[in-house]
Amino acid sequence: MLEQLALERRTPDGPRSRRRARKPFTALAHHWRKVLFPSTDGQDPDHLFADRYVQTIAFALLLARIENVPLAVRNFVDVSRELKAENTVMGRALQLLTETVDAEFARRIDTLVQVIDAVDGEAIRSRTPDAHVHLYEDFLQGRTHDQRRTPHR
């Protein structure tokens, strides 16, 4: 994500009407900071956005796998649509955060998708039927307090 933001920074600004299309993540980061995280508590706003963006994508994809939504050779639109059937908020979040993802960026996060697609959602649900309820807490519990405050690079 940081590489994508840096790439967009190097892209010349076009007409105002096309700027968002040419710099979708810059626009998303701006709105994200303005609406969701107006105070960064001294953290680099790009790092904070990148960290939260990747966390949300990873969590939504993991939740999709627990719900037996296959990820391999699928686009984010289809995955988010299926995820919304059971998890409206996360399905919509995945849709909003990936609606501007082009093929090149999708290839950048392909490893994440492949790893999460290997998750056996059925096995998880058979052991813990309400796994989706605890998933986010457990997902974050794997990160220490310092890691939550300091973005991954």
Side-chain angles (χ1 to χ4, degrees), residues 2 40-55 140 142-153:
L2 290 172
T40 60
D41 294 331
Q43 296 183 48
D44 178 331
D46 281 350
H47 281 89
L48 183 62
F49 168 74
D51 186 57
R52 301 276 166 81
Y53 178 91
V54 173
Q55 279 183 46
L140 283 181
R143 299 179 71 184
T144 66
H145 177 70
D146 289 341
Q147 287 173 316
R148 287 186 211 143
R149 293 185 50 82
T150 305
H152 294 285
R153 295 181 189 223

Side-chain angles (χ1 to χ4, degrees), residues 26-74:
T26 300
L28 184 60
H30 171 76
H31 292 297
W32 185 293
R33 286 189 292 264
K34 184 176 174 182
V35 176
L36 297 176
F37 302 104
S39 173
T40 60
D41 294 331
Q43 296 183 48
D44 178 331
D46 281 350
H47 281 89
L48 183 62
F49 168 74
D51 186 57
R52 301 276 166 81
Y53 178 91
V54 173
Q55 279 183 46
T56 305
I57 296 296
F59 176 73
L61 293 173
L62 192 53
L63 184 59
R65 284 306 298 139
I66 286 178
E67 296 296 329
N68 287 326
V69 175
L71 306 177
V73 296
R74 311 257 332 268

Side-chain angles (χ1 to χ4, degrees), residues 25 28 53 57 61 75-77 79-80 91-102 105 109:
F25 292 105
L28 184 60
Y53 178 91
I57 296 296
L61 293 173
N75 63 43
F76 290 116
V77 173
V79 172
S80 64
R92 183 71 175 130
L94 182 62
Q95 177 187 356
L96 287 171
L97 294 177
T98 59
E99 67 187 358
T100 56
V101 170
D102 60 14
F105 186 78
I109 59 174

